[in-house]
Amino acid sequence: MNALILSLLQPPRPGVDVHGTYKRLALHVRALHAIGASLTIAYYVTDQDVPADADLDQAARAQEAAELAHWGIPARVHLIRRQHRPETFANHYIRGMFQAAEQPAMAPWAGEEQARAVGALLDAGPDIVVVNNLHATCAILRSGRRPRRLFIDLDDVQHLVRLRWCQQRPRTPGRVLMLSHIPALIRAELQASRQGEATFVCSEADQRHLTRLGAPRVEVVPNAVDIPPEPAPPTAEPVFLFVGGMGHGPNAEAAERMVTRVFPLVQRERPDARLLIAGQGSEQLPSRRLDPPGVAFLGFVPDIEEIYRQTAVFVCPMVNGGGTRIKLLDAAARAIPIVSTRMGAEGIAFTDGENALLRETDEEFAQACVKLLGEPAMARRIGLSARAVMLERYDASVIQRQLEAAFAERTGV
């Protein structure tokens, strides 16, 4: 049995590409391997990843050894070059009103050249096709092919992500114009789901939303992480941590909010507090130029476990984005108490006051942070309760078995 995974990611770099999207991709890779599928993974690359004058097939063959080292599973690799198009008013605003594949966020993965490349892979007749996110799914829709068994993994429901972004302040004319793209996104999501054997989403909330819109066969496959056998003992140091790749806009917005608005309120009560901002690109955030006291911008951290051991409270002041935040699952798996916005914890089975403290305004968020520092017994109770939720619902080995069953049921394995 042959399986094709179409991923909008670049090929993983060992020790570097370890963020949440790769963790979710790993669940599919391992599940397909477990049911005996021979794997082909198609990645999208930029000219920076593979120079424009380089041969993509040759680069893909070179990547296959790295794939085996990264996943521990043999896989055939195909590389698809992302589309580069001029930034014009029509490209940015007008064309996406009619076709999701033409929208700025989708176009790099779903142009005509990308659709032809995806179509050629589908013409080889894979028994199973798993496609990561709507971006790559748009290339399938544009190719005109209908794969035999198509599984669509919407780790984010893109029209909801776009709606939230458009509603953020400041309400610029550009944000208002982007509202006109949402109907095309909804049409693409529904068209894809009607062609697929199943559409996977991260949470019951996303499932209910898509089902109400008319999407069939929507199944919840939660984000999941490997859970350490025992949590480390709590630290007595007043250290807060936010983790995220800052190339993702909602992460950068949350980090800036924490540094410039929330943490100064915390420091009024706890001048000894420290804030760690970790993740690729964090050393380039605008707030770093202000040299804020008590804040360290760590950039990419090869050994994040050491940082977790220093952390008293994990913070997630996000107000934008979609899906579920794997960063919260990682913290909860280590019994680190969490302060988050409700949107940041969306789709995760956390109850305010039991498994996390959920706060919205800067003042409320800061007060919750100070409270957890001042009440270590409560902080420990909340952290251990969040870990219990992880063991019950978000253990990677459990979710992998769920995916194995979903694939096997529809292929007769």
Side-chain angles (χ1 to χ4, degrees):
M1 179 172 58
N2 295 315
L4 169 66
I5 297 177
L6 182 60
S7 173
L8 60 86
L9 299 169
Q10 65 181 19
R13 296 163 293 178
V16 176
D17 293 313
V18 294
H19 56 72
T21 310
Y22 281 100
K23 290 179 181 180
R24 188 167 179 89
L25 177 61
L27 295 173
H28 292 90
V29 170
R30 293 168 185 163
L32 289 167
H33 178 69
I35 65 170
S38 176
L39 287 175
T40 296
I41 307 180
Y43 297 103
Y44 285 82
V45 295
T46 66
D47 291 347
Q48 184 176 357
D49 302 319
V50 180
D53 58 352
D55 182 87
L56 281 182
D57 289 336
Q58 184 176 351
R61 300 293 77 78
Q63 179 63 29
E64 286 171 4
E67 286 290 289
L68 179 60
H70 184 85
W71 302 115
I73 294 169
R76 187 82 171 166
V77 173
H78 281 272
L79 301 179
I80 301 171
R81 203 174 292 280
R82 294 187 202 174
Q83 176 180 217
H84 298 279
R85 69 178 188 181
E87 180 63 17
T88 66
F89 184 87
N91 282 344
H92 198 82
Y93 294 108
I94 304 301
R95 297 173 68 180
M97 296 179 184
F98 309 102
Q99 188 176 0
E102 295 290 346
Q103 296 181 9
M106 304 291 160
W109 291 269
E112 292 182 2
E113 181 181 340
Q114 290 69 37
R116 283 194 295 270
V118 169
L121 292 173
L122 296 176
D123 288 343
D127 301 294
I128 297 177
V129 177
V130 178
V131 58
N132 166 234
N133 216 307
L134 186 65
H135 305 64
T137 308
C138 282
I140 293 180
L141 298 178
R142 194 167 195 170
S143 76
R145 309 318 197 269
R146 296 194 65 137
R148 187 179 308 165
R149 295 185 183 90
L150 174 63
F151 296 85
I152 302 146
D153 186 38
L154 297 182
D155 54 350
D156 291 333
V157 177
Q158 287 299 318
H159 78 267
L160 288 179
V161 173
R162 183 66 52 79
L163 178 62
R164 286 171 174 164
W165 180 82
C166 290
Q167 292 174 331
Q168 291 297 307
R169 296 184 183 279
R171 297 280 179 83
T172 62
R175 289 183 192 264
V176 174
L177 274 174
M178 282 294 187
L179 286 169
S180 65
H181 287 191
I182 291 174
L185 287 173
I186 294 173
R187 287 195 300 271
E189 287 165 343
L190 293 180
Q191 181 184 355
S193 68
R194 289 164 183 159
Q195 291 187 16
E197 293 283 337
T199 298
F200 300 139
V201 294
C202 295
S203 69
E204 288 82 0
D206 285 348
Q207 181 189 46
R208 288 192 299 270
H209 182 76
L210 286 177
T211 300
R212 281 197 299 266
L213 290 175
R217 301 177 294 279
V218 182
E219 301 180 13
V220 178
V221 176
N223 279 326
V225 298
D226 295 318
I227 301 177
E230 293 292 336
T235 179
E237 297 298 316
V239 176
F240 298 91
L241 172 65
F242 177 77
V243 174
M246 301 305 161
H248 182 51
N251 283 339
E253 292 169 11
E256 289 291 274
R257 179 190 180 192
M258 190 69 204
V259 172
T260 63
R261 292 159 45 189
V262 176
F263 192 59
L265 299 177
V266 173
Q267 289 178 303
R268 291 180 187 176
E269 303 293 328
R270 291 295 301 259
D272 58 336
R274 292 187 293 130
L275 172 62
L276 307 180
I277 306 293
Q280 196 162 15
S282 60
E283 70 280 17
Q284 299 172 358
L285 288 169
S287 57
R288 189 188 183 193
R289 295 194 294 268
L290 304 175
D291 195 21
V295 181
F297 299 87
L298 305 180
F300 174 74
V301 179
D303 183 13
I304 194 66
E305 293 299 329
E306 177 59 31
I307 303 301
Y308 284 136
R309 286 190 287 271
Q310 301 173 31
T311 300
V313 178
F314 191 91
V315 292
C316 184
M318 297 182 73
V319 295
N320 208 349
T324 58
R325 263 52 62 186
I326 289 182
K327 59 176 66 67
L328 293 191
L329 303 184
D330 278 326
R334 291 155 180 80
I336 301 171
I338 292 166
V339 181
S340 175
T341 57
R342 292 186 183 278
M343 205 291 299
E346 182 181 45
I348 305 175
F350 289 163
T351 300
D352 181 30
E354 294 184 16
N355 326 107
L357 297 185
L358 306 179
R359 302 292 186 268
E360 303 306 320
T361 70
D362 296 343
E363 293 75 12
E364 292 169 344
F365 205 99
Q367 289 168 8
C369 291
V370 172
K371 185 178 183 66
L372 288 178
L373 288 185
E375 300 186 29
M378 181 186 73
R380 188 59 172 168
R381 172 182 60 78
I382 287 175
L384 290 173
S385 179
R387 178 179 162 87
V389 172
M390 290 295 305
L391 290 167
E392 179 182 353
R393 303 188 60 163
Y394 303 107
D395 186 337
S397 62
V398 174
I399 303 306
Q400 179 185 320
R401 289 194 293 272
Q402 178 186 344
L403 278 171
E404 291 171 21
F407 294 140
E409 177 185 353
R410 291 167 171 86
T411 57
V413 174

